[in-house]
Amino acid sequence: LWRFGFFARLLKTNHFRTAASNTSFPAVRMLLAQYPGRIPGSFVKVQRSSFVTMPEIVEDKADLELYLPPPRVRGMTQLDREAFKRTIVVPALKVKKDIIGSLLKSLKHTLLQRPGLKRVIEDPDDENSRLVMLDPHKIPEFSLGGSEQEVLKQFDIPPVVCKHNLELTYDSFKLEEILRAVLPEGQEVTSGFSRVGHIAHLNLRDHQLPYRYLIGQVIIDKNPGVTCVVNKTSIIDSTYRNFEMEVLAGESNLVTKVKENNTAYELDFSKVYWNPRLSTEHGRIIELLKPGDVLFDVFAGVGPFAIPAAKKKCRVFANDLNPESYTWLLHNCKLNKVSDKIKAFNMDGRDFLRGPVREELSKGLPLEAEEQKTSFHIVMNLPALALDFLDAFRHLMAGVAHGAMVLPTVHCYAFSKHHDPAEDVRQRAEASLGASLRGHCSVHPVRNVAPNKEMMCISFQIPDDVLYGRPCP
């Protein structure tokens, strides 16, 4: 892993060093030759896909220079769209308008590929002709290659390339290009954000804060459907799992509607917790459930586990301490027409486990395994604290009769900064339960939250001696 990271950084560095001389990654070729068999086989493939997702690295330096906003926008903190105007020279062909369609198909690989710029414009000198814009990188020194000349010959078009002054405006530039041109040179440019309905949610770094209002407006301009941009101003450390935020641009309406896994939710983003990056994990847990199963959602939020489970015809007991989350949970139950399948509670997590959960388990668990047709699942999605709540299962069912029952399965979420997060989460879960889970649990990676910080899910059946053992005097 260390070598992989080293070569990835070297690949990125040498790309920029060699772009001006148009040499194609020579240092990496030398490294591949010097260290045969020591670089993972998927190295080249992985790096290629990484470039696709990082436009600030993949674009050729010549392309960046051609389509770069003017230098005068550097350091701008209030958006001035007029300041982004500049003129570049591109090659063009003069073509009769009645053959434009056929010609474009034949020259599709040579045409101007820039998003937002027209490939065909009117000829100011001849109303019967049009000017076809060509890619300046495909037509070096405004000279046509042999294949292009052959195409023009077929259409009886003179192989003459003219120079056209093309005006670039604010609308011609991409979000990343604008922010890269405005922010201080050499500083990290963050153009990514979480989309929650009409809201774009940012986590800006300190050096980006002076430009936050400009960044917010550019995001609205470049992302149709986004009408509000907010920046998180504190970490999630409150009792109710929400965070303080500042509206950077657009309307201040933070009540939004989202859709996840074919289920609609409405919520006030400023008062409840919602993370669009957990969509896959919500779906994974729901796939484990069968119709008729019972789900206890200890930290339910607005219902991303509870409501899909109810739609799958499971019986659901959903709880959240945050009164706002509880209110929106009830609202979303009505919205999705599952109010009759979900019993909602507004309690502390431990009180919920020791009260409604214990009561329901005492009805279903005493049945013999062959009679017990339902499985019990307990979801605990409060990764900052959920492991600490596992001690509530100690002796939870003490004094309740039980036979050869199927024990409840817990899905508990946690953050870890350990070099072996799976082992770390297992050990912490064992410490809270007071019992070993080695060989009797699975730990699933959910997502990377930050550098050296992982979100994990540990799943296990509660050991019999933990659930039914009597407490020591």
Side-chain angles (χ1 to χ4, degrees):
L1 287 174
W2 178 86
R3 288 199 300 270
F4 179 83
F6 169 75
F7 285 123
R9 291 192 297 273
L10 195 61
L11 178 63
K12 174 181 175 180
T13 303
N14 279 282
H15 175 56
F16 281 105
R17 288 178 180 172
T18 61
S21 58
N22 200 29
T23 52
S24 181
F25 308 123
V28 174
R29 289 201 187 100
M30 292 172 62
L31 283 168
L32 291 172
Q34 290 175 14
Y35 299 97
R38 295 181 61 186
I39 299 175
S42 59
F43 173 76
V44 176
K45 179 179 179 181
V46 171
Q47 289 304 308
R48 187 179 299 120
S49 65
S50 297
F51 288 157
V52 171
T53 61
M54 298 175 66
E56 64 269 25
I57 296 175
V58 70
E59 294 187 63
D60 185 71
K61 185 174 181 180
D63 184 67
L64 291 178
E65 290 176 348
L66 182 64
Y67 298 116
L68 201 65
R72 61 177 173 270
V73 303
R74 179 75 68 191
M76 178 187 295
T77 56
Q78 291 186 343
L79 183 60
D80 178 6
R81 296 177 180 85
E82 291 297 313
F84 285 84
K85 287 184 177 180
R86 65 168 291 200
T87 301
I88 63 173
V89 180
V90 298
L93 291 173
K94 186 171 182 176
V95 180
K96 294 296 182 182
K97 64 180 183 180
D98 55 349
I99 62 170
I100 287 291
S102 301
L103 179 67
L104 293 183
K105 292 179 181 179
S106 301
L107 288 178
K108 61 182 180 181
H109 297 299
T110 314
L111 298 174
L112 182 68
Q113 301 292 335
R114 184 72 180 172
L117 295 180
K118 292 182 179 180
R119 299 178 180 178
V120 180
I121 62 173
E122 293 184 0
D123 184 350
D125 300 323
D126 185 355
E127 63 179 15
N128 294 318
S129 298
R130 297 290 183 266
L131 294 178
V132 177
M133 304 293 109
L134 303 179
D135 187 342
H137 300 113
K138 303 288 179 63
I139 312 296
E141 299 180 357
F142 296 84
S143 177
L144 291 169
S147 59
E148 289 83 11
Q149 292 190 34
E150 188 63 32
V151 169
L152 297 183
K153 185 176 180 181
Q154 294 174 9
F155 288 91
D156 197 23
I157 300 173
V160 178
V161 177
C162 60
K163 295 183 179 181
H164 178 74
N165 292 328
L166 183 66
E167 183 181 61
L168 301 180
T169 66
Y170 172 79
D171 294 332
S172 307
F173 300 108
K174 304 173 187 176
L175 170 64
E176 295 85 359
E177 293 167 338
I178 292 174
L179 298 187
R180 189 189 300 119
V182 169
L183 267 65
E185 201 165 3
Q187 294 277 20
E188 179 187 5
V189 175
T190 300
S191 58
F193 56 85
S194 296
R195 179 83 179 263
V196 183
H198 68 277
I199 302 169
H201 169 221
L202 302 172
N203 291 322
L204 294 180
R205 305 290 178 85
D206 289 343
H207 71 273
Q208 298 162 344
L209 292 178
Y211 307 90
R212 61 189 182 278
Y213 301 120
L214 178 144
I215 293 173
Q217 188 56 57
V218 176
I219 286 176
I220 287 180
D221 291 345
K222 300 299 179 179
N223 293 275
V226 172
T227 59
C228 175
V229 180
V230 299
N231 180 47
K232 185 170 74 173
T233 58
S234 67
I235 61 174
I236 301 175
D237 58 359
S238 66
T239 303
Y240 296 148
R241 299 180 73 201
N242 51 10
F243 49 79
E244 296 179 7
M245 63 180 70
E246 178 187 13
V247 176
L248 303 182
E251 61 186 6
S252 296
N253 176 24
L254 297 178
V255 175
T256 187
K257 186 172 184 177
V258 297
K259 194 167 186 178
E260 178 184 275
N261 300 330
N262 298 316
T263 301
Y265 304 90
E266 292 180 354
L267 55 106
D268 185 335
F269 190 57
S270 66
K271 296 179 179 179
V272 304
Y273 180 80
W274 179 269
N275 191 333
R277 295 185 178 93
L278 295 177
S279 171
T280 301
E281 181 62 15
H282 295 151
R284 184 183 75 87
I285 296 298
I286 298 305
E287 282 294 315
L288 302 177
L289 306 177
K290 302 185 299 296
D293 284 352
V294 179
L295 175 70
F296 300 103
D297 195 348
V298 185
F299 312 107
V302 300
F305 285 112
I307 291 173
K311 291 174 70 173
K312 201 172 180 178
K313 299 183 179 179
C314 297
R315 286 196 302 131
V316 179
F317 296 78
N319 171 72
D320 203 282
L321 179 62
N322 183 353
E324 287 287 340
S325 295
Y326 173 73
T327 299
W328 286 105
L329 172 62
L330 295 176
H331 174 82
N332 288 315
C333 288
K334 292 179 181 178
L335 182 67
N336 289 279
K337 300 179 181 179
V338 292
S339 297
D340 58 330
K341 297 183 177 65
I342 296 179
K343 289 185 178 180
F345 302 85
N346 179 207
M347 306 170 65
D348 174 78
R350 274 192 178 82
D351 294 337
F352 176 64
L353 290 169
R354 291 167 177 165
V357 174
R358 182 183 188 278
E359 180 182 348
E360 191 64 27
L361 290 178
S362 65
K363 298 175 184 177
L365 288 182
L367 297 174
E368 295 295 326
E370 59 270 14
E371 300 174 8
Q372 189 177 323
K373 297 181 180 179
T374 62
S375 297
F376 294 90
H377 291 261
I378 303 172
V379 173
M380 305 175 70
N381 184 20
L382 183 63
L385 295 172
L387 289 177
D388 297 337
F389 282 77
L390 293 180
D391 63 2
F393 292 116
R394 295 189 187 187
H395 328 299
L396 181 66
M397 306 300 293
V400 178
H402 66 288
M405 68 291 180
V406 178
L407 294 163
T409 299
V410 173
H411 309 281
C412 185
Y413 293 84
F415 294 133
S416 177
K417 295 183 178 181
H418 198 271
H419 71 275
D420 186 348
E423 180 68 10
D424 173 52
V425 169
R426 182 186 64 80
Q427 290 183 6
R428 288 159 58 199
E430 291 175 340
S432 190
L433 282 172
S436 174
L437 295 175
R438 188 177 294 277
H440 300 284
C441 68
S442 63
V443 183
H444 176 80
V446 178
R447 70 185 187 97
N448 176 256
V449 179
N452 303 316
K453 184 178 181 180
E454 302 292 332
M455 180 177 176
M456 313 294 287
C457 175
I458 181 170
S459 298
F460 59 90
Q461 283 189 310
I462 307 173
D464 179 274
D465 56 342
V466 171
L467 197 60
Y468 285 94
R470 296 187 180 277
C472 295

